Amino acid sequence: MSTKKDPFILALPKGRVFKDFLPKLENTPFALKDNFENSRKMLLDTRHPDLKVLIIRGWDVPAYITSGAAHLGVVGKDILIEKEDEEFVELLDLEIGKCRLSLAGKSNLNSTSSRLRVATKYPKSAISYMNSIGIQAEIIYLHGSQEIAPVLGLADVIIDLVDTGNTLKENGMKELDKISDISTRLIVNKASLKTRSRLIAEITDALK
Ligand code: AMP
């Protein structure tokens, strides 16, 4: 009888977080096997016989973890705040992908503003922030490149991630208020915490 376990899947987001996260796996028993760089495969082998790495969009990581289709996931806190209704447990702050969620605009807010058009891909964070400062918001949901929306008159302000501030500056905008610090987190499927606890502990320890 075979004793081989079902594969254990670690979901990683494509893009900048993937690049920042890879060095954390290097020199661990969970490093990716060679030849993944030019591959279009979405499920990759690692040095560990039970562990596979799934490469998807960050916004999709919570759904994979909640459903149990993947067991562990790496995802930005900005996304987790928007997906708080899904069921996952946050295990670790990986201390990468550090940036901030901020309000930005072409100029300071007019103290008489009672309603603002806010371009963002973070509607939950935007509504709760705008409520906290007592200004009514009309949310204009955009998938990306929010920085140009106020310049072209689509919105009055944006709520988006800021790192160096260069994107804002180059598009004639400025940071008006920091809403929250953001970093990349390790999340886990609730049931897997019990059924795959040993491997989860080993991977978590290797990432600390
Ligand atoms: P910057 O010009 O360095 O302030 O970077 C801002 C741009 O990069 C914006 O379009 C952000 O959405 C994006 N960005 C900054 N930091 C992150 C991050 N940690 N994760 C994902 N996107 C980010």
Side-chain angles (χ1 to χ4, degrees):
M1 200 177 77
S2 165
T3 56
K4 202 169 181 310
K5 283 206 166 163
D6 288 337
F8 181 92
I9 298 179
L10 168 64
L12 298 185
K14 297 176 187 179
R16 86 167 74 189
V17 171
F18 181 70
K19 285 201 193 95
D20 288 352
F21 182 78
L22 276 193
K24 284 188 165 280
L25 282 185
E26 258 172 45
N27 306 319
T28 75
F30 311 107
L32 285 174
K33 284 199 171 158
D34 294 340
N35 300 325
F36 65 86
E37 301 227 14
N38 295 320
S39 166
R40 290 188 179 247
K41 267 177 84 170
M42 293 169 206
L43 204 52
L44 304 173
D45 289 326
T46 70
R47 283 190 206 143
H48 193 288
D50 295 338
L51 178 69
K52 290 197 183 286
V53 163
L54 172 70
I55 315 284
I56 49 175
R57 287 179 61 101
W59 285 95
D60 296 333
V61 169
Y64 275 84
I65 301 304
T66 297
S67 68
H71 306 86
L72 268 182
V74 169
V75 60
K77 185 70 182 176
D78 51 323
I79 293 174
L80 294 183
I81 294 168
E82 297 298 311
K83 301 280 186 178
E84 65 186 1
D85 297 341
E86 303 217 18
E87 294 226 353
F88 50 78
V89 176
E90 203 178 303
L91 278 184
L92 195 63
D93 184 344
L94 292 165
E95 308 271 347
I96 56 173
K98 287 187 178 179
C99 58
R100 51 206 185 270
L101 184 69
S102 290
L103 174 76
K106 287 193 290 183
S107 54
N108 290 342
L109 288 189
N110 185 332
S111 58
T112 58
S113 305
S114 58
R115 188 176 173 85
L116 287 175
R117 294 168 304 154
V118 183
T120 190
K121 60 178 164 190
Y122 302 108
K124 274 195 183 170
S125 292
I127 289 168
S128 98
Y129 171 74
M130 295 304 285
N131 283 341
S132 78
I133 61 168
I135 298 182
Q136 246 193 318
E138 178 193 335
I139 301 296
I140 297 168
Y141 182 82
L142 297 178
H143 287 272
S145 306
Q146 291 88 325
E147 291 90 346
I148 202 64
V151 180
L152 296 178
L154 174 62
D156 301 305
V157 290
I158 67 168
I159 287 179
D160 194 20
L161 299 181
V162 180
D163 182 10
T164 61
N166 289 341
T167 309
L168 288 178
K169 212 184 293 168
E170 287 184 26
N171 289 289
M173 305 262 290
K174 61 181 183 172
E175 196 171 355
L176 302 177
D177 195 12
K178 180 176 94 172
I179 298 171
S180 56
D181 287 309
I182 298 293
S183 60
T184 303
R185 308 297 165 96
L186 185 69
I187 62 170
V188 65
N189 170 265
K190 274 189 175 169
S192 308
L193 263 182
K194 291 188 189 133
T195 56
R196 309 298 291 265
S197 57
R198 190 169 167 168
L199 190 50
I200 290 169
E202 284 172 13
I203 296 171
T204 308
D205 283 347
L207 293 174
K208 277 182 185 160

